[in-house]
């Protein structure tokens, strides 16, 4: 659920996030502006939007500026849903994208909130600030230790798409693997970064893996081989980004 002072800003942020998912995104509602073209937020509208989007699995509320937080807090007194409603301090744009991708893959409220809060990690890492990069690595979804087991299915592949594992390929990986019974990690062999969980858009992006770098995929679980085969196919196809 998105709270913004500006309807145009809210709609643009949601539209950008929806570019990362398929035709059946998770429920999303917007409460933006104070009515009659006035910039601001309205707690009653926020409460109505929370009730609209509530589906029994919890509601995560994103807010753009300080008074939006106040409206979000007040709205919890007006709403009628019995769902857990959580106000997140995640970054408005990056967090919203991360949350929608993971929610679309069927993650829990806790998982979605954690992913959203870590959403600035890749940007910090890419800006090559050593202190910030270490923070990013500590906040991305941790790789499952079980993937390092001796029975893990592993494979290596070279990234061929021009922009490597940026946001769109990362989102595609999360969603393609979501239905498979497998725990998967990705490591950038070329740079030594990782491993990170393949169920985390933020984790994958934090690798900063570029074209011609070699990545290692590792998976355990009943569908481990299928997960690895899927990743290898996606990598060979350049995640759909190769010129025809």
């Amino acid at each position: 659920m998105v709270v913004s002072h500006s309807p145009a800003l809210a709609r643009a942020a949601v539209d950008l996030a929806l570019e990362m998912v398929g035709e059946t995104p998770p429920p999303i509602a917007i409460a933006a502006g104070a009515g009659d073209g006035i910039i601001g937020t309205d707690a009653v509208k926020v409460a109505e939007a929370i009730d609209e989007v509530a589906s029994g699995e919890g509601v995560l509320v994103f807010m753009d500026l300080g008074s939006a937080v106040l409206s979000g807090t007040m709205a919890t007194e007006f709403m009628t849903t019995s769902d857990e409603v959580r106000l997140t301090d995640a970054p408005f744009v990056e967090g919203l994208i991360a949350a929608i991708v993971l929610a679309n893959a069927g993650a829990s409220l806790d998982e979605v909130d954690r992913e959203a809060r870590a959403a600035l990690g890749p940007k910090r890492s890419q800006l090559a600030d050593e202190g910030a990069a270490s923070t990013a690595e500590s906040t991305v979804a941790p790789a499952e230790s079980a993937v390092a087991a001796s029975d893990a299915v592993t494979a290596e592949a070279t990234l061929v798409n021009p922009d490597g594992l940026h946001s769109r390929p990362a989102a595609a990986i999360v969603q393609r693997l979501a239905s498979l019974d497998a725990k998967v990690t990705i490591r950038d062999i070329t740079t030594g970064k990782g491993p990170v969980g393949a169920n985390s858009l933020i984790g994958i992006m934090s690798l900063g893996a570029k074209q011609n770098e070699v990545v290692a995929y590792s998976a355990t679980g009943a569908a481990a081989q299928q997960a690895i085969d899927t990743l290898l196919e996606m990598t060979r196809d350049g995640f759909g980004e190769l010129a025809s």
Side-chain angles (χ1 to χ4, degrees):
M1 193 262 133
V2 180
V3 184
S4 174
H5 286 65
S6 165
L9 173 62
R11 187 70 257 169
V14 170
D15 286 347
L16 176 60
L18 291 177
E19 289 286 330
M20 306 296 169
V21 299
E23 298 179 355
T24 55
I28 303 169
I30 294 174
D36 297 326
I38 299 173
I39 295 294
T41 57
D42 181 331
V44 173
K45 290 175 63 176
V46 175
E48 292 172 349
I50 290 173
D51 287 335
E52 173 191 338
V53 81
S55 61
E57 298 180 1
V59 179
L60 192 62
V61 181
F62 288 84
M63 300 148 291
D64 61 355
L65 298 174
S67 60
V69 177
L70 178 61
S71 291
T73 302
M74 292 177 60
T76 60
E77 301 176 9
F78 305 144
M79 66 188 189
T80 61
T81 181
S82 59
D83 272 21
E84 178 182 357
V85 175
R86 190 176 301 178
L87 309 183
T88 183
D89 61 2
F92 190 69
V93 176
E94 294 92 337
L96 185 60
I97 293 172
I100 287 178
V101 168
L102 202 59
N104 194 58
S108 69
L109 179 63
D110 284 342
E111 292 170 325
V112 172
D113 189 17
R114 182 172 61 246
E115 180 86 348
R117 290 170 186 266
L120 283 181
K123 180 184 288 184
R124 290 173 175 148
S125 180
Q126 289 170 17
L127 289 174
D129 181 326
E130 292 184 2
S134 63
T135 300
E137 290 172 2
S138 67
T139 56
V140 298
E144 295 286 349
S145 60
V147 177
S150 59
D151 61 345
V153 180
T154 62
E156 297 179 5
T158 301
L159 299 175
V160 295
N161 57 311
D163 296 319
L165 294 183
H166 65 99
S167 57
R168 197 179 302 277
I173 288 171
V174 172
Q175 292 175 90
R176 285 286 297 275
L177 298 184
S179 62
L180 301 182
D181 181 12
K183 294 179 179 179
V184 186
T185 63
I186 304 174
R187 180 167 59 91
D188 189 330
I189 295 177
T190 303
T191 64
K193 290 185 178 180
V196 298
N199 63 339
S200 169
L201 176 143
I202 299 306
I204 297 170
M205 290 176 61
S206 74
L207 293 174
K210 301 177 176 61
Q211 185 181 40
N212 296 323
E213 292 183 354
V214 178
V215 293
Y217 300 128
S218 184
T220 58
Q225 187 62 61
Q226 183 180 357
I228 294 300
D229 290 344
T230 297
L231 286 170
L232 290 176
E233 178 184 0
M234 294 176 74
T235 307
R236 284 193 298 268
D237 291 343
F239 303 96
E241 297 184 331
L242 298 181
S244 58

